[in-house]
Structures are given as C-alpha cells and as structure tokens.
Amino acid sequence: MGASKAKSGDPQRIQIGGIASRPKKPLNRVTTTKYTWLTFLPLNFYEQFRRAVYFYFLIITIISFFVNETISPLVSLLPLLFVMIITALKEGLEDLSRSKSDKLVNTARVTVIRNGKEEVINSEFIVPGDLVVVRNEGDVPCDLVLLQSSSADRRCFVNTANLDGETNLKTILVPSNYVLSPEDSVVKVKDCIVCETSTFDLYSFNGRLETGGQGGEGGDGALPLTIENLLLRGVRIKGTDRVVGCAIYTGMHTKLQLNSRYTGNKSASSEKYINRFMVALIVGMIVVVVVLYLIERHKEKKIVPTMPFLGPPTNFNSAWQIFEDFLSFLLLFNYMVPLSAYMNIELFRIFSMHFMHNDLGLYDEETDQPCRVNASNLNEELGQVNILFSDKTGTLTKNLMKFVNCYVSGTNFQLQNTHLLCEDTGEQFELDKLDAEANVFFEALSVCHTVEVLQEVCDKPQESERSHLMSRKIVDRYQATSPDEKALLEGCASLGLVYEGQDNDVLRICRYPSAERLQFQRLHVLEFSSERQRMSVILRDQSGGSIWLYSKGAESAILPRCKASPRVEQTDGLITKYAQKGLRTMAVARRPLTEEELANFEVLYRKANTQLSNRNQLIAECYETVEIDLDLLGATALEDALQENVGETLEALQAAGLKIWVLTGDKVETAYNIGLACRHIPPGSKQHFIVNLTEPAELLARLEEIGSDNPEVLVVDGTTITALLKHTPRQFADLALRCRAVLCCRLSPLQKSEIVTLIKRRKKHITAAIGDGANDVSMIQEAHIGIGITGREGKQAARCADFAIARFEMLRRLLLVHGHYNSQRLAFLVLFYCYKNIIITGCMAIFQVYDLYSATNVYNSLYLWLFDFVYISFSFTYLAISDKDYSEETLLRHPELYKPLAHNRQASMGVFSLWILNGFVQCFIIFYFTYAVLNDENVVFNGGQTASFQTFGTMLITIIVIVGNLKLLLVARYMTYLNLAMIFGQIAAFMLTTYLYNLVASGELYDVYNQFLASLPLWLFTIVCSAACLLPDFIFKVVNDMFRKVPPESKAVV
C-alpha cells in the first residue's frame, strides 16, 4: 500500500505528497461485487454445486444420458436447470446492483494536491500519499491523516453516522506541532507517515509522522498519530470550511471496507432437521433401489428364462449390465429427494423478511426505523430461542441520563433545577453558597470530560439570566460521545457553572450569576476504556499555574487509587445506596502534579505513543504512573429511565419459556435494583448472590450450596465471573441454566462474549443476544441470533446484528409472533415437500411389482417435469408463507404458545415419520384403487375402448395432484380466498397442460385425456379415490380440533 510495499503486518511507510513511484501504489477503487462478466457463470455454478443435493442431481443427470431410457434425462435436467438459473439470476441481479453502486462511488469527483497544484480527479485514482482536500459537508473518500484545517484551533468536526450510526460530532485533530504549508507537497518531500497495516478496528490507529527525514521510533522528528488524527472513509466534514489530509489506506484497504465484509457463518437449527430429512429420504431411496434391484436379479435368473417370448436372456452378470440395472432404479427414484425444496425455502425466507420489514408493529415512527433483517437464513430461528442475553444500559433503559444526586463534603445532595437539596436537613443551597471543597467538586465535573461545543454561525452573547442557562445557546450544542458526560455538564450548567467550550485546548468555564470566568489549559486526556473504567485529564490552572489531574469513573476503578481516609468508606457506602435505587454511579477524584512529574509522564507517554506494537498496553502502563494517590472529591448518581413497556416485555418472554440473562457493566446494586424495577427479577423469587469470590474451592462450595436450594435468580459480579469462567465453567453453567433469571454485573465486552460462548457450547440451547452499543457487538455476533437496537450509542450493534429493531419492547412481537410463524411455517413447508415426493415415487415403487421390476416409469415424463412447478408447488408454498395457527393478538396475549416450538418439536423425526406414513398410505390407496378399476374390466371409455398404459399413469397423477392440493384445506389453519384460488388454480393448471399435450398428435398422450374427460366411470373413480385418501386426514383433523387447547378469552384463527 505504501511507497515501499511491506509484508503483511509490517509497518507501512507513506511519503506525504506521494510523488515517487505513484503508479505502483494501489488505487482507491472500491469493488464489492463477487463476479465479473467472465467469472460469473463458472463461479456461480461452482458455488451452487458445492451444495451436496445439487451435485447429486448433476451426477444423476449425467448418468441418465448413458443408461437405458427408464426415465428421460430431462426429468432430472430441467428441474436442476430451472433451480440453478433462478438462483444465478438472483445472484446476478444483486451483483449488478452492487456494480452500479461501486461505479457511483469510484467516479465521484475529489480534489487532490499534486506538485503544489490542486487537481480534480475521480475518487478511484487517489493513491496513498496524495494530499486530499475535503470541503464542509463533504464525504471523506479514503482514510486520511489530517494535516491541515481551516479552523483556527487546527481541528475539525466529523459526523460518523455512515460508520457507526452515531449522530454526535467527533473531533479530529491535526498532529501537534505539525504545520502543512501550501508548498509542502513540493518542498517537504522527506516527511512521511509510518503506520500499521489497516485493520477492521474503527477505534484504533497507531502511527507516527516523521518530519525532515527523521526516522526511528521515538526520534525527535517523530510525532505520534492516533485515531484522533485519522479521518475515516465515509465520515462527513461538519463545521469546517476546508481540510487537507494525507491518504494512507485506500480502496478495499480502508477501515470502512474491511468492516463491510461480514465474516460470520451462522446457520439456523432448521438446517439440521432439513439435513436429517434429506438423509432419511436418500437412505430410504437407496434401500428401495437395492431391494428392487435384488428382486430384479432374482426374476432375471428364475423367471425370464421361462418366458421365451421376451427374447433371449441378457447376460445379467456382466459388470455393465449390473451397473446399468442398478442405476436405472436409482434414476427412477431420485425424484424422492426434493431438489426444488431449497429454492422454495429461500423464497419463503425472502417473504418472511418482507413481512418483518413491513410490520407496523416493528416500525418506530419517531426514528423512521423499520425492522431490518440482515440474515434471512435465521428467520425461523427466532422461534427457537430459549436463552436471551441482554445489555442493560440503552437496551432495558433509555440511556438518557439525568444528574439527580451527588455526595460531596460529607453531604448527600439532590439536584432540583437550579438548586441543591440536602436530603438530610431539607435545606436548599445555591452553588456559590457551598464550601470550597464542593466548588472544586463541580469544577472537576466541568473540566473532566471530552465534550465539544458546536459553534453557531451567528452566535449572540450569552445571556446572564439563570433561566437561560439551559437554553439552546450552550447546553443544546454540547456534543458528547457519552450521555453520562453530557448529563453531568447539564447538571452543572443548571447550578450556574457553565462549560462554554475550548479554544486550542483552553477550557472556558463561566460561573453565574457572578459571570466569573475560569480557564484551564488541557494538557492531556487519559482516555476512557472498558478495561480502565475511568478517564482522566491533566490541566494547568491558568489563574495560578498549578497542574492538576482530575479523574472520574466507576468506584471500583477510582476508590482503590485514592489515599486511604474515612471519606473513602463513607463515599463507598453512599454509592451503594445510590446503586440500590437503580442509579448509575461514578466517583470523582483529583491530585496535584509537579512539573517534574508532568515531564516524566510526557516522556513515557511520547515514547509509548510512537510505538506501533503494544501501544495500548504501554499507554495504559503510562497512565498508571500518574493515576495514583488521588484525593477523593465525591460521587455522582445519574438516573437512566426504563424503556417503554420493558417490564411487560420481559414478563411475556419469561412466560414464553425464555431464561433471561442481563449482562451489564454497572455495579451489582444498580443492576439489581434495575432488574427489580423492570421485572427481570421476579418478586418473591429465591435470589442468590455470588460476589467477590475468586478461590476455586470457595466457588465450588458456593455453587453446590446454591444448587441445593432450587435457585430462581442468580446475581454474579465481574470479578467472580472471571474466576468462574477460569476454574468452574461447567458447574457455573449447570447452575445458571436452572435459574429463571441471571444478572451478571461489572462485565467487560469480552466477558459478555465469553459467557455467551459458554452457554452456546452446551448445544441444547438456542441463544439470542440483544444490545445497542459497540460494547455489545462481540456478544451479539457470538450468539446464535444477534439483535441490535438503534440506540443513543449509535448503530454499531444494529449494523453488526442479524436483526435490528428500534426499541426493546419490539422484541416481544419479533419473537412471539414472527418467530412463531416463521418456525411453524418452515417446518410445514419442508414436511409437505417430503410428503408429496413420497406419494409420487411410492406409486412408482409399487408399480415395479407388476412390471417384472424392469425400472419402468409409470408416469409420462411431462407429469414429472411439471409436478413440482405447476401442479402443486405454488399452492402449498403460498400456504406455508401465509398460514397462521393463531392470530397475532392471541400469540401476544398468550406467550406460552411459544413453548411448544422449542427444539423444533414441530419438525421432529416423529412428526416426519407421521407425514411419510401418511404419504405411503395414500399412495397405496391411490395405486390399488386405480389397479382395481382397470384390473378386471378396463373398458372405461364411452366408445368401448380399453384403457392404455398412458391412461393408467394419467389416472394416478390425477389423484395425486387433487389429493395433494385438497390436503392443504385440511392442514391449513388460516384460509383466504387467495389460498383457495391457488389450490383450485393448480388443479386447473394440471388439467389444462395435460389437455393441451393430449392434442399433440406425435405425443404419447395423444387423445388419452380427451377420452378420460369424457368417461363417467373415471370421473366417479376420481371422486371416490380422492375422498378415500383424504378421509383419514379429515378424521384426524376433527379429532385434533376437538382436543386442541385454545387459550382462554382468545380464539385461534381457523
């Protein structure tokens, strides 16, 4: 990628301006297509033939051209070609659409600086090292290191909605102490960027900018580059007139494109029973073929020699004759394996995806967000979930924070508009009436953050009235990556301490009503991470010049780093009380730094920040050197409101048989009380806690103790989870799976994923994970089904999930209605496919008894060609797509109806055997009714003619088509006029095609169907035989409906 091409994993060296060896560098061309015009047919056919059933039919088709004319090769070839052509057409149209989209992107016009002059070129011709100019509201065409900004503070704002869905603006900075002048592209050709090879991680970037030819790690000419200096492809510039960046990752190597490649390989549990059914049919077919072949061998040896009129006997012991005879039977019965079933299954999944996408019950009008299906092959899996893993913040709660309480100066305060209420005495305080320690605490909240203030074009002076502090002038222009930080600043502003923004890292604070202005120079930001669970800033107070480190985060991360004092225990106790109210808590501390400590830190930080390997670890170790000996200032408590109807949704899912695990980063008390409030933890249930245990012996003893008490709710913290997963994973999983609800607290994203993996490996459970943030992505991708919520933290989870919804309450409808329908419908589709193939091949098998096992086909080839696609396929496929065993309202009111679907009981081998048995019974009835009519007296036509062999086959297929279609009336639970039209339309299509073929003088059916339609005995036979076949089904339906349990106050849609 760079000027000097390195091996994969080696650092890249990219010359700024990229003059030398430009043609050798990769272009910025994006290609998302799978095929080209030359590779489409071979690649597409190769992919299709990787499916075993397709390959099997290909072999059978090839063999049929060389074996005797038992059955026309077209019987195998035409269905195979039809299915493959439809699949190829679908793939081709999708790829053509991708090609058109690629062309629009690649031909977009962009401005680059080459040889000191601006040129306008197509986006695809950008190469690494080019200086790319992007204007306000322009999209970044490739990954750029920001080198110049028209903004005075050398930064720009970007909207990353195209990457992660977040609408808050992010800040990108020009590397410190680097200036790009207009002539740099000509003069400073020695400046270059050294960086790691591109990775899919959107939130990590390591590199350095070497100026004046200075090389080496940590050299004087090396400036560190981080993700804060990187403009990613797809982001949009906001609020900055012009920026210039150096292209480093282009085309398919940009982080956006690397993230566009979904590498998951999830498959539904339905694939297992479909494969079982296919294997059962293939084994059954082979058994039938072997038995019939052995009987034929016996007949050839014992009976054929006694019938000289059949001609001289063949040498049935020759290898070719054995091969030909065996394959003749194999060709005859290969129709037992339903090739076209896969096409109908894909068609069913497309329609079920369409139903979910267009369901108004899954549409959020406020955000204009419908349900989105990213993995249609998992649609039916929504009906099989029995373990649900859920995030808490933003999923069960709104992630809309409100600053409600704080503990400072030994006093517990409640925020009430513009005042602080002491909960112990009931007194109200203004902020300026509090002591100096309290003022320092709120100053810490006002400066310890990374919030930006979006500038307005015509900004008027700030009004001094307190009532206007929360107006759009300042607060509504706060751009925060975390809702916690924004809520804390809004709370401070309501009290009169307003953060007004920053200029060149100088933070401006205004204290009202005195209008006193405070300024702090921000020297360093020690970033928050899920592992650190805290963030810090190093500031210089410009009024006195003193240096301070302010830190805030989870009390488990802050309190151990504070100096020992009684206040630490008092604060910890009050944080626990806050958490018991379901509030999100945070501790705040600070410490002074000397100039020497700052200098030592900066040396370590600069050295760590220019490393390309282990940079994050080295930086974390650097942070640890200054985040020590903190003076605790106090604690805050934020309220996060529950999502609408979250309690009702959880109760319904538990009633449906789902065991719900909430995996959260909050502390135990907070998560526990939220669990009670949202009814995740049932009131009055047996609740057990495993907290702060790490020794294997203690863990085993505690697990055994809880296991003997029939637990219903289990609460575990992050420290204990780490030990459980390391020492006793099997025992922990056994115990947890016995509980109705499990609550795991203080977890990192990795721990969430590990817990899902632990349960997923138990094989007996289908897991679903739901979340709304980037920290939930690993959990969502690990579960059998990942469900993302378009939340305030962005759309990362929704983009990576298999299904995306707007609110948690929609999960109830997604699982209980669509999951139920999809699972039930697919099972019916597959079972009916197997049943209909048994009927048509069963009659062929019985006929071998009466044709000396000669592998003769009893049907005309036309019937086999059209049976799947014209005679019956549309009617039962449409029924499978639209059938409803219960109404949507009934399924929502009675979630217990979800339970019978678990473990694919509706498609068990027992149910499959009943359908196959039903098919065998009906094929026996059809064959022997037909045989009885023609055996003794076969003069059945009005003209006195006898029935021919073609008449016999036509009688069989007529009953099969009629019975197969009318059976749908007995198995359907939801019948519409369109269903009826499809059923009788398929029967009419059979009659019409047969009649038209019967008019062809050269055809085998010439005049056969004319005589059939004119024969009263054959009409009577058709009615009686069809009724006899369907009578057992009718009796079964009546008895089943008599004993079918219909939920009270509801009525099934029948």
Side-chain angles (χ1 to χ4, degrees):
M1 270 182 61
S4 58
K5 190 166 183 175
K7 296 180 180 179
S8 177
D10 290 343
Q12 298 176 183
R13 180 176 293 273
I14 300 169
Q15 183 177 318
I16 296 177
I19 306 301
S21 64
R22 177 176 286 124
K24 298 180 181 179
K25 302 175 186 177
L27 296 175
N28 190 41
R29 184 179 296 117
V30 172
T31 304
T32 60
T33 56
K34 295 170 62 177
Y35 313 106
T36 66
W37 291 105
L38 291 177
T39 63
F40 173 68
L41 284 179
L43 284 181
N44 184 266
F45 278 24
Y46 169 74
E47 289 179 0
Q48 293 196 56
F49 284 128
R50 290 175 66 187
R51 183 169 279 174
V53 174
Y54 284 28
F55 186 73
Y56 164 77
F57 267 86
L58 175 65
I59 298 300
I60 291 296
T61 301
I62 294 173
I63 291 174
S64 66
F65 281 97
F66 303 99
V67 180
N68 64 34
E69 297 182 0
T70 299
I71 191 169
S72 170
L74 296 179
V75 172
S76 299
L77 180 61
L78 290 182
L80 178 63
L81 284 178
F82 180 79
V83 172
M84 292 188 65
I85 289 172
I86 293 297
T87 304
L89 187 62
K90 170 179 169 288
E91 290 280 338
L93 290 175
E94 289 178 352
D95 212 50
L96 182 61
S97 175
R98 287 191 288 265
S99 177
K100 291 179 179 178
S101 299
D102 290 346
K103 186 176 181 180
L104 288 175
V105 172
N106 292 328
T107 57
R109 305 293 282 174
V110 297
T111 302
V112 298
I113 301 176
R114 291 176 176 174
N115 299 317
K117 298 179 181 180
E118 291 192 1
E119 301 178 17
V120 179
I121 62 173
N122 285 350
S123 173
E124 62 184 328
F125 295 119
I126 298 174
V127 295
D130 272 341
L131 294 174
V132 181
V133 179
V134 187
R135 305 283 180 179
N136 187 37
E137 296 294 331
D139 292 329
V140 176
C142 62
D143 292 350
L144 309 172
V145 171
L146 181 63
L147 299 180
Q148 186 184 82
S149 171
S150 60
S151 173
D153 54 5
R154 293 165 46 83
R155 67 183 64 206
C156 70
F157 294 109
V158 295
N159 184 306
T160 61
N162 286 338
L163 286 180
D164 55 24
E166 294 186 12
T167 56
N168 291 330
L169 299 185
K170 312 295 190 304
T171 306
I172 305 298
L173 309 173
V174 174
S176 58
N177 302 321
Y178 185 81
V179 178
L180 180 74
S181 59
E183 64 276 6
D184 278 345
S185 59
V186 179
V187 179
K188 291 192 175 182
V189 294
K190 293 184 179 181
D191 291 358
C192 67
I193 293 172
V194 180
C195 60
E196 61 188 1
T197 55
S198 184
T199 66
F200 65 88
D201 190 349
L202 296 173
Y203 308 102
S204 172
F205 172 69
N206 295 323
R208 62 178 180 269
L209 196 160
E210 297 178 354
T211 60
Q214 297 285 339
E217 296 185 358
D220 294 337
L223 303 175
L225 298 176
T226 68
I227 194 65
E228 292 183 344
N229 309 118
L230 189 64
L231 290 166
L232 295 176
R233 178 191 185 106
V235 304
R236 177 166 293 180
I237 303 298
K238 290 281 189 179
T240 307
D241 180 59
R242 181 180 186 271
V243 300
V244 178
C246 178
I248 55 170
Y249 306 138
T250 57
M252 301 305 293
H253 300 282
T254 60
K255 288 179 177 286
L256 175 62
Q257 290 306 125
L258 293 179
N259 276 272
S260 298
R261 299 175 183 176
Y262 179 68
T263 58
N265 189 25
K266 295 183 180 180
S267 60
S269 60
S270 59
E271 296 288 342
K272 295 180 180 178
Y273 71 71
I274 293 173
N275 289 336
R276 282 201 303 267
F277 294 169
M278 294 300 171
V279 170
L281 290 176
I282 292 173
V283 170
M285 179 189 67
I286 293 174
V287 170
V288 170
V289 167
V290 170
V291 170
L292 290 176
Y293 171 71
L294 293 177
I295 296 175
E296 186 215 18
R297 293 270 298 176
H298 173 75
K299 296 292 185 182
E300 288 275 359
K301 184 177 181 181
K302 301 294 184 183
I303 298 176
V304 172
T306 66
M307 298 179 178
F309 53 84
L310 294 178
T314 58
N315 183 12
F316 57 84
N317 286 321
S318 69
W320 174 253
Q321 190 63 43
I322 293 173
F323 178 74
E324 185 178 28
D325 290 345
F326 184 81
L327 289 181
S328 295
F329 282 112
L330 192 63
L331 289 171
L332 185 65
F333 293 104
N334 80 83
Y335 206 83
M336 188 180 292
V337 182
L339 167 69
S340 57
Y342 289 99
M343 184 183 69
N344 286 46
I345 289 171
E346 291 303 318
L347 183 66
F348 160 78
R349 285 170 172 165
I350 290 172
F351 272 94
S352 59
M353 176 177 67
H354 174 77
F355 293 153
M356 286 186 279
H357 181 76
N358 291 279
D359 185 354
L360 291 178
L362 298 178
Y363 172 73
D364 183 53
E365 187 174 1
E366 180 182 351
T367 59
D368 189 30
Q369 177 74 31
C371 173
R372 193 171 73 247
V373 180
N374 297 329
S376 61
N377 63 309
L378 299 177
N379 291 349
E380 63 273 12
E381 200 77 339
L382 292 170
Q384 299 300 315
V385 178
N386 43 40
I387 303 289
L388 174 67
F389 297 98
S390 175
D391 177 42
K392 183 186 75 66
T393 304
T395 304
L396 302 180
T397 60
K398 292 182 177 179
N399 203 17
L400 189 61
M401 306 300 174
K402 182 181 179 182
F403 190 2
V404 292
N405 281 97
C406 63
Y407 179 73
V408 61
S409 301
T411 307
N412 177 25
F413 292 106
Q414 181 182 3
L415 269 72
Q416 290 190 342
N417 296 324
T418 60
H419 301 83
L420 289 168
L421 174 68
C422 177
E423 293 192 346
D424 296 331
T425 63
E427 295 181 78
Q428 285 190 342
F429 295 90
E430 299 276 346
L431 181 60
D432 54 2
K433 298 295 192 282
L434 295 177
D435 59 21
E437 186 177 348
N439 276 274
V440 168
F441 170 78
F442 284 101
E443 284 180 11
L445 297 180
S446 298
V447 297
C448 188
H449 58 78
T450 56
V451 174
E452 297 286 348
V453 179
L454 186 63
Q455 298 299 319
E456 288 187 335
V457 178
C458 297
D459 204 7
K460 297 179 181 179
Q462 173 71 32
E463 299 181 25
S464 60
E465 292 86 349
R466 178 73 59 84
S467 61
H468 287 194
L469 291 180
M470 296 295 291
S471 72
R472 292 185 179 274
K473 298 304 176 187
I474 291 290
V475 175
D476 282 358
R477 291 190 278 120
Y478 285 163
Q479 296 291 325
T481 57
S482 165
D484 302 58
E485 289 191 336
K486 187 174 181 181
L488 291 172
L489 286 184
E490 288 173 345
C492 291
S494 68
L495 295 173
L497 196 62
V498 182
Y499 169 66
E500 294 186 333
Q502 57 89 24
D503 295 310
N504 294 322
D505 278 329
V506 176
L507 310 183
R508 294 178 284 108
I509 311 296
C510 186
R511 188 189 297 274
Y512 290 90
S514 64
E516 176 188 358
R517 296 192 178 274
L518 309 175
Q519 290 189 339
F520 299 86
Q521 182 183 5
R522 184 163 57 193
L523 304 177
H524 294 281
V525 176
L526 283 58
E527 298 286 352
F528 173 87
S529 70
S530 299
E531 292 73 25
R532 284 168 37 78
Q533 294 187 322
R534 65 189 182 278
M535 70 88 61
S536 303
V537 295
I538 299 177
L539 307 172
R540 187 186 298 275
D541 186 346
Q542 293 201 333
S543 61
S546 54
I547 303 170
W548 295 93
L549 179 140
Y550 291 92
S551 187
K552 73 174 191 293
E555 77 288 343
S556 59
I558 298 296
L559 298 185
R561 289 170 171 78
C562 293
K563 297 176 182 177
S565 70
R567 175 166 296 179
V568 173
E569 295 182 5
Q570 295 169 4
T571 304
D572 191 24
L574 202 70
I575 286 177
T576 301
K577 291 182 180 179
Y578 288 155
Q580 290 171 349
K581 297 178 182 179
L583 302 177
R584 288 170 61 89
T585 58
M586 191 180 300
V588 183
R590 74 169 183 172
R591 63 161 293 195
L593 291 178
T594 64
E595 294 287 352
E596 182 181 358
E597 288 174 322
L598 176 62
N600 291 336
F601 168 79
E602 288 180 335
V603 169
L604 291 175
Y605 182 72
R606 188 181 304 111
K607 183 177 180 181
N609 212 18
T610 54
Q611 303 299 312
L612 298 184
S613 59
N614 299 324
R615 177 185 288 190
N616 291 338
Q617 180 182 348
L618 293 172
I619 289 177
E621 292 173 358
C622 176
Y623 290 167
E624 292 286 350
T625 62
V626 290
E627 291 177 325
I628 55 174
D629 295 331
L630 302 176
D631 296 314
L632 183 63
L633 298 177
T636 63
L638 304 177
E639 182 182 52
D640 190 2
L642 292 176
Q643 295 273 6
E644 290 84 357
N645 300 318
V646 65
E648 293 81 354
T649 301
L650 289 174
E651 281 186 336
L653 294 178
Q654 287 175 331
L658 275 71
K659 295 179 179 179
I660 300 175
W661 295 44
V662 173
L663 312 180
T664 177
D666 282 343
K667 68 177 300 178
V668 172
E669 292 81 4
T670 301
Y672 175 75
N673 285 280
I674 292 291
L676 289 174
C678 69
R679 304 178 220 170
H680 167 235
I681 300 176
S685 57
K686 292 185 178 180
Q687 302 166 12
H688 296 274
F689 293 77
I690 310 179
V691 180
N692 294 327
L693 294 182
T694 56
E695 294 299 321
E698 293 179 343
L699 290 172
L700 281 173
R702 181 61 176 149
L703 291 173
E704 291 175 2
E705 178 187 353
I706 296 174
S708 63
D709 192 32
N710 297 321
E712 294 180 290
V713 176
L714 183 65
V715 181
V716 193
D717 71 329
T719 303
T720 307
I721 283 290
T722 302
L724 287 170
L725 294 176
K726 181 179 180 180
H727 301 298
T728 58
R730 183 179 60 82
Q731 295 88 338
F732 167 62
D734 290 339
L735 175 64
L737 288 171
R738 292 170 54 192
C739 301
R740 292 175 57 190
V742 178
L743 178 61
C744 300
C745 312
R746 282 298 189 224
L747 299 184
S748 67
L750 179 60
Q751 285 179 312
K752 292 183 179 183
S753 177
E754 289 174 342
I755 291 173
V756 175
T757 303
L758 176 67
I759 303 304
K760 186 179 175 182
R761 287 176 178 169
R762 303 308 290 262
K763 302 296 185 183
K764 296 181 180 179
H765 302 279
I766 301 298
T767 61
I770 184 169
D772 73 314
N775 61 329
D776 302 316
V777 168
S778 57
M779 171 180 74
I780 287 172
Q781 292 185 329
E782 181 62 31
H784 291 100
I785 302 174
I787 304 170
I789 293 180
T790 308
R792 294 180 179 275
E793 292 187 18
K795 295 183 180 179
Q796 305 99 311
R799 289 176 185 273
C800 297
D802 305 305
F803 302 89
I805 54 179
R807 299 193 306 274
F808 182 81
E809 64 176 322
M810 295 177 179
L811 183 64
R812 179 181 182 183
R813 184 175 182 86
L814 185 67
L815 296 183
L816 302 188
V817 176
H818 290 282
H820 183 104
Y821 285 158
N822 291 340
S823 188
Q824 192 80 25
R825 289 166 176 172
L826 181 66
F828 166 74
L829 177 67
V830 175
L831 290 168
F832 196 90
Y833 236 110
C834 298
Y835 152 81
K836 76 174 182 60
N837 282 29
I838 287 296
I839 294 181
I840 194 168
T841 54
C843 290
M844 287 195 292
I846 300 171
F847 179 68
Q848 301 308 303
V849 178
Y850 300 96
D851 73 344
L852 274 180
Y853 301 92
S854 60
T856 302
N857 179 22
V858 71
Y859 308 113
N860 186 280
S861 294
L862 173 76
Y863 300 141
L864 294 179
W865 296 345
L866 300 180
F867 180 73
D868 247 351
F869 304 108
V870 177
Y871 297 166
I872 195 170
S873 183
F874 288 106
S875 55
F876 82 82
T877 302
Y878 180 77
L879 179 63
I881 290 172
S882 61
D883 196 28
K884 298 180 180 180
D885 53 346
Y886 295 99
S887 69
E888 298 173 10
E889 294 76 14
T890 300
L891 292 174
L892 290 173
R893 281 199 300 265
H894 298 280
E896 64 273 9
L897 294 173
Y898 186 86
K899 291 181 180 180
L901 302 177
H903 306 295
N904 289 305
R905 293 192 187 99
Q906 76 283 7
S908 64
M909 288 304 294
V911 176
F912 171 74
S913 301
L914 288 177
W915 277 85
I916 298 302
L917 178 63
N918 181 240
F920 276 127
V921 169
Q922 289 186 349
C923 75
F924 270 95
I925 294 174
I926 293 170
F927 184 88
Y928 282 106
F929 259 73
T930 308
Y931 181 79
V933 170
L934 300 182
N935 185 39
D936 294 332
E937 181 57 68
N938 65 352
V939 180
V940 293
F941 295 132
N942 291 346
Q945 303 98 327
T946 57
S948 65
F949 176 67
Q950 292 295 336
T951 302
F952 182 64
T954 301
M955 293 169 68
L956 290 175
I957 196 67
T958 299
I959 303 302
I960 289 172
V961 171
I962 292 175
V963 169
N965 280 285
L966 293 184
K967 182 180 174 69
L968 298 175
L969 297 174
L970 299 177
V971 298
R973 290 286 176 181
Y974 183 80
M975 187 59 62
T976 65
Y977 290 116
L978 187 54
N979 285 111
L980 294 172
M982 294 286 285
I983 290 171
F984 290 104
Q986 295 262 258
I987 297 174
F990 160 73
M991 298 177 68
L992 178 62
T993 54
T994 307
Y995 174 74
L996 293 175
Y997 186 58
N998 135 102
L999 299 178
V1000 179
S1002 60
E1004 296 176 343
L1005 283 180
Y1006 178 64
D1007 203 38
V1008 170
Y1009 205 52
N1010 285 339
Q1011 297 182 60
F1012 184 99
L1013 294 175
S1015 173
L1016 182 61
L1018 292 185
W1019 278 101
L1020 183 61
F1021 153 78
T1022 302
I1023 295 171
V1024 173
C1025 185
S1026 300
C1029 286
L1030 295 173
L1031 181 61
D1033 296 78
F1034 179 75
I1035 294 173
F1036 178 80
K1037 176 179 173 61
V1038 171
V1039 174
N1040 185 57
D1041 287 350
M1042 288 173 59
F1043 293 98
R1044 185 168 182 252
K1045 295 181 180 180
V1046 179
E1049 301 179 7
S1050 305
K1051 186 167 72 174
V1053 178
V1054 179

